[in-house]
Amino acid sequence: MIYADNAATTPVSPAARAAMIDAMDKLWGNPSSLYTFGQLAEEALSDARARVAGCLGAEAGEIIFTSGGSEADNQALRSAAAFGAKKGKKHIISTAFEHHAILHTLDALKAEGFEVTLLPVHSDGLVRPEDLVAALRPDTALVSVMFANNEIGTIQPIARLGEICRQAGVLFHTDAVQAAGHIAIDVKAMNIDMLSLSGHKFHGPKGVGALYVRRGVPVQPLIYGGAQERRRRAGTENLPAIAGMAAALEEACAHLEENAAKVSALRDRLIAGLSAIPHAALNGAAEPRLPGNVNFCFEGIEGESLLLMLDEAGIAASSGSACTSGSLDPSHVLLAIGRPHEVAHGSLRLSLSEANTDADVEHILKEVPRVVDYLRACSPVWDELEKGERSYVIL
């Protein structure tokens, strides 16, 4: 089986697994306890915090451990919103193609009286700095723009967006769940005030993540109780998961350039090969793009059928479509970049890692065209397109 859905989750690395087992076997004390067992656990917790911070160009005290990227996103947005509201600022800027952890939190904040502006995403999958400048207002409390999109893989001009926010005196948050461990991040150089990440996207365990908060930026807890995480996140820390995440992130960052070079070459081969399929189109610009991300639309087919047949062919991938409440809805990301509904339904995301091989790419390039041809032969929509009864969208 070829695993090509690394944007969804990644297998736990040997380094992360070893760190987790060591923590469970030797560091089972409560990090908040004063006796030796607890202090050994606290030392390991502090070490993990420093290692995560080091991978981001941050200070150890600026890292809050969370249950994952969604919690980190929620805490960042709600903290900035609360701080802004105290100063009479209740306007938030984000983008139309954010992860739902951001969009749904913004919906909740709108119900609480905040005003939200979603920046347009152009057909290349990129946010324009000039659009941010135009959207800023005196009452803007926060700007949140994802570092790299989880579906189409386009990398945003984060340093420039951060610079604009810093000059305007507006807090800047980025959801870096897809970026961390895959592309270089320096929170200081990029003018980032808050950043979210999740361990299972770079070969760490699930259920653990982190929120970077620049020193001096106010943050409020989502979870109240004990004094853990400097009173910013109550609950006994999940040390095995934290240790595993720190080990995975450190390993990923240590091999960032070589992994990116290898995976980008595989990605480019896939893009070139899939581009040869008639009436198929890459979603988002080819560059700047995450090393392992390939996202295509194939006119005349449904993404779910494509996934099921690829699974039978030994390929695990994902689609931009999602089944919500029993009805099929196209990806909000693809709609945001201008793909019409009927085309957005026929999308395929392949996300590679350094574990993938040339042979994997060859197999994918053999099977995807075959399956697309088969599904089109069964499709009444494709029949109408071929007969000229309706016009092609992807030429």
Side-chain angles (χ1 to χ4, degrees):
M1 187 74 176
I2 295 171
Y3 186 68
D5 198 20
N6 288 276
T9 195
T10 56
V12 175
S13 69
R17 187 181 301 110
M20 294 174 70
I21 292 173
D22 190 64
M24 286 187 282
D25 286 348
K26 302 174 184 176
L27 302 168
W28 43 264
N30 190 319
S32 298
S33 300
L34 295 177
Y35 45 72
T36 301
F37 292 122
Q39 290 308 294
L40 289 173
E42 169 58 30
E43 289 175 9
L45 183 66
S46 296
D47 177 66
R49 198 183 310 279
R51 292 163 73 186
V52 169
C55 292
L56 303 174
E59 301 171 18
E62 296 174 317
I63 302 299
I64 303 170
F65 289 122
T66 69
S67 65
S70 292
E71 182 188 331
D73 283 344
N74 274 256
Q75 186 169 17
L77 267 59
R78 288 203 162 273
S79 293
F83 178 63
K86 291 178 180 178
K87 301 166 65 177
K89 297 183 176 184
K90 301 192 73 173
H91 177 235
I92 300 171
I93 298 173
S94 190
T95 79
F97 76 159
E98 297 292 314
H99 189 277
H100 283 123
I102 296 290
L103 294 177
H104 289 171
T105 304
L106 292 175
D107 287 341
L109 289 170
K110 282 195 288 186
E112 296 169 18
F114 287 84
E115 186 177 349
V116 175
T117 297
L118 296 181
L119 299 177
V121 183
H122 295 255
S123 59
D124 58 5
L126 298 173
V127 174
R128 302 289 191 267
E130 56 267 29
D131 290 338
L132 172 58
V133 172
L136 285 169
R137 302 184 339 199
D139 63 338
T140 302
L142 170 72
V143 172
S144 180
V145 177
M146 67 194 328
F147 206 117
N149 187 263
N150 55 302
E151 289 191 29
I152 61 175
T154 49
I155 301 170
Q156 305 308 309
I158 293 299
R160 177 59 183 140
L161 300 177
E163 180 184 24
I164 292 168
C165 291
R166 188 63 56 85
Q167 291 173 348
V170 175
L171 291 177
F172 180 57
H173 165 259
T174 184
D175 177 338
V177 167
Q178 291 294 330
H182 302 288
I183 54 179
I185 297 175
D186 186 326
V187 292
K188 307 298 184 186
M190 294 177 170
N191 299 298
I192 297 170
D193 295 309
M194 294 182 284
L195 176 146
S196 308
L197 60 81
S198 189
H200 73 108
K201 303 295 187 178
F202 46 79
H203 302 293
K206 297 177 183 65
V208 63
L211 174 64
Y212 155 77
V213 181
R214 180 173 60 82
R215 188 176 299 280
V217 172
V219 61
Q220 68 175 27
L222 287 181
I223 302 172
Y224 293 88
Q228 292 88 357
E229 298 300 291
R230 298 187 179 182
R231 299 186 180 277
R232 298 174 297 183
R233 204 264 187 185
T236 302
E237 293 93 347
N238 183 354
L239 183 56
I242 290 168
M245 178 176 69
L249 183 59
E250 196 169 55
E251 182 177 53
C253 290
H255 300 282
L256 202 66
E257 290 187 9
E258 63 186 89
N259 286 343
K262 175 188 176 182
V263 179
S264 295
L266 297 175
R267 174 202 67 192
D268 292 345
R269 280 188 59 203
L270 269 181
I271 291 175
L274 296 178
S275 295
I277 298 174
H279 305 288
L282 179 69
N283 292 312
E287 291 288 351
R289 175 180 288 265
L290 288 171
N293 180 283
V294 176
N295 190 305
F296 267 78
C297 277
F298 303 101
E299 193 162 3
I301 67 170
E302 289 285 349
E304 277 62 35
S305 298
L306 177 59
L307 293 187
L308 291 172
M309 292 194 68
L310 288 179
D311 184 57
E312 291 179 354
I315 301 167
S318 66
S319 174
S321 301
C323 190
T324 306
S325 301
S327 64
L328 190 65
D329 293 323
S331 158
H332 73 285
V333 172
L334 299 184
L335 296 181
I337 64 171
R339 295 294 187 204
H341 281 69
E342 64 270 25
V343 171
H345 276 301
S347 66
L348 172 68
R349 182 185 70 180
L350 298 159
S351 44
L352 308 175
S353 79
E354 64 279 4
N356 289 111
T357 65
D358 289 330
D360 292 345
V361 171
E362 289 176 10
H363 184 68
I364 292 170
L365 289 178
K366 172 187 173 185
E367 293 299 326
V368 172
R370 179 187 67 81
V371 173
V372 169
D373 285 346
Y374 174 84
L375 291 175
R376 283 174 170 173
C378 302
S379 168
V381 172
W382 183 253
D383 188 55
E384 292 174 4
L385 289 166
E386 289 284 84
K387 290 178 179 177
E389 296 173 0
R390 65 165 71 187
S391 299
Y392 290 105
V393 174
I394 302 175
L395 301 178

